Amino acid sequence: MTGVLTETVGTRRPGAKVVRTGRARRGRRVLASVVAGGLVLVVWTVVSAVGLVNPLYLPSPGAVWEAFVRANTLHRIADGVDRYVIGEQGYYLWEHLLASLQRIAVGVGAAILLGPLVGFVMGMAAPVRWVAEPVLNFLRALPPLGYIGLLIVWFGIGDTSKIWLLFLAAFPPIAIATLDGVLGVKQDYLHAARSLGARRAQVVSLVVLPATLPNVLSGIRIATAFAWTTVVAAELNNGIPGIGGLAYIAGTQLNTPLTIACIIVIGVAALLLDAVIAFIGTRVVPWKGKA
């Protein structure tokens, strides 16, 4: 019996402890985030309760929650007429969020399709890189508000200009991240592949591409976050439905509770988007960090 127990313990998978350690670390990270959020909520509640800040500038958490609920329900207009309106600006809050996510999906999706291709070509062909890299760096350095007016002139105030703005926000980071990945492939890997008789196409597909994928996914993650922060700028004009447009209009109307509710929704959506992309990255490139 002792021999059986010894053999069982000895055959335990070596990676099991690493998996448990990783899960424990993630658990502690989640707990720390929850505690930090709880502390912020407590301080916010106390500050608003004692009246340290005018409610116009910092409404209570309860007022923000009421604005959030109101924006997601069908409510009656308090003007003596038996009329009901949907959410805010004729849409529920989740519809505003969905409209912004759809614009992000189209704009960033196009950047995800074209960015790695352009970055890969730049990395493999030096003349292309010499011409295209300054243009990409110029676009990356421009703030979105710098050319939103020009996009409106070209494409109008509809969704087309918004999608183009989000595309231009996401495309340069993805292309440059891909370029850095191609240029960062270790020469030892290339020499080893060629010494084993690999042709150029095999070197590219079996060595360069897998080595570049982690950079591509990191670029997509950064680009998506940057595009999401651009959504308010994209929806300044005719941004309804849209969570950024709703936040902007609520601010101009001094509806601070709704503005803060929109900000919280934008932040939570950003965290969820980043978590999804990070999860996909661990599945697509499980070798990242293990070379």
Side-chain angles (χ1 to χ4, degrees):
M1 185 67 177
T2 304
V4 174
L5 289 175
T6 303
E7 183 179 358
T8 303
V9 173
T11 56
R12 184 178 297 170
R13 290 180 301 148
K17 184 177 181 180
V18 176
V19 173
R20 288 196 298 270
T21 303
R23 290 176 179 173
R25 188 181 296 111
R26 288 193 294 270
R28 290 194 296 269
R29 189 181 305 165
V30 171
L31 179 61
S33 300
V34 172
V35 171
L39 289 175
V40 171
L41 184 61
V42 169
V43 173
W44 181 9
T45 302
V46 171
V47 169
S48 60
V50 300
L52 292 178
V53 181
N54 191 319
L56 176 64
Y57 305 117
L58 184 65
S60 67
V64 174
W65 174 251
E66 290 178 2
F68 175 79
V69 173
R70 178 184 175 88
N72 283 286
T73 56
L74 184 71
H75 50 270
R76 185 175 180 178
I77 300 178
D79 59 355
V81 181
D82 191 16
R83 291 188 301 164
Y84 292 83
V85 295
I86 296 175
E88 294 290 344
Q89 301 297 319
Y91 298 90
Y92 295 117
L93 185 61
W94 66 266
E95 291 179 309
H96 288 286
L97 178 61
L98 182 60
S100 297
L101 289 174
Q102 288 174 340
R103 293 170 182 137
I104 286 284
V106 177
V108 177
I112 291 174
L113 291 177
L114 294 178
L117 178 61
V118 173
F120 203 83
V121 172
M122 289 169 59
M124 300 302 296
V128 177
R129 180 168 68 252
W130 298 337
V131 174
E133 190 171 11
V135 178
L136 286 176
N137 286 325
F138 175 79
L139 290 175
R140 185 177 60 169
L142 277 177
L145 287 176
Y147 44 79
I148 187 173
L150 182 61
L151 292 175
I152 291 175
V153 171
W154 286 352
F155 303 108
I157 60 174
D159 276 358
T160 303
S161 60
K162 299 175 180 59
I163 291 171
W164 267 106
L165 182 65
L166 296 172
F167 169 80
L168 291 174
F171 176 75
I174 296 176
I176 291 175
T178 305
L179 172 63
D180 291 341
V182 174
L183 298 180
V185 177
K186 294 182 179 179
Q187 292 297 316
D188 294 343
Y189 296 165
L190 302 178
H191 295 326
R194 294 191 186 103
S195 66
L196 293 173
R199 296 186 297 273
R200 179 177 175 82
Q202 292 175 317
V203 172
V204 171
S205 61
L206 300 178
V207 179
V208 179
L209 184 58
T212 305
L213 275 178
N215 289 70
V216 175
L217 289 172
S218 297
I220 291 174
R221 189 175 178 182
I222 294 172
T224 303
F226 184 57
W228 187 242
T229 61
T230 309
V231 73
V232 176
E235 294 174 351
L236 286 177
N237 294 280
N238 194 30
I240 299 296
I243 191 69
L246 180 61
Y248 172 71
I249 290 177
T252 59
Q253 295 175 348
L254 299 182
N255 190 349
T256 314
L258 180 58
T259 303
I260 295 178
C262 290
I263 291 172
I264 293 174
V265 170
I266 291 172
V268 172
L271 292 176
L272 292 176
L273 278 174
D274 185 72
V276 169
I277 295 173
F279 176 78
I280 294 174
T282 59
R283 296 300 184 271
V284 175
V285 287
W287 60 85
K288 182 180 180 180
K290 299 178 181 179

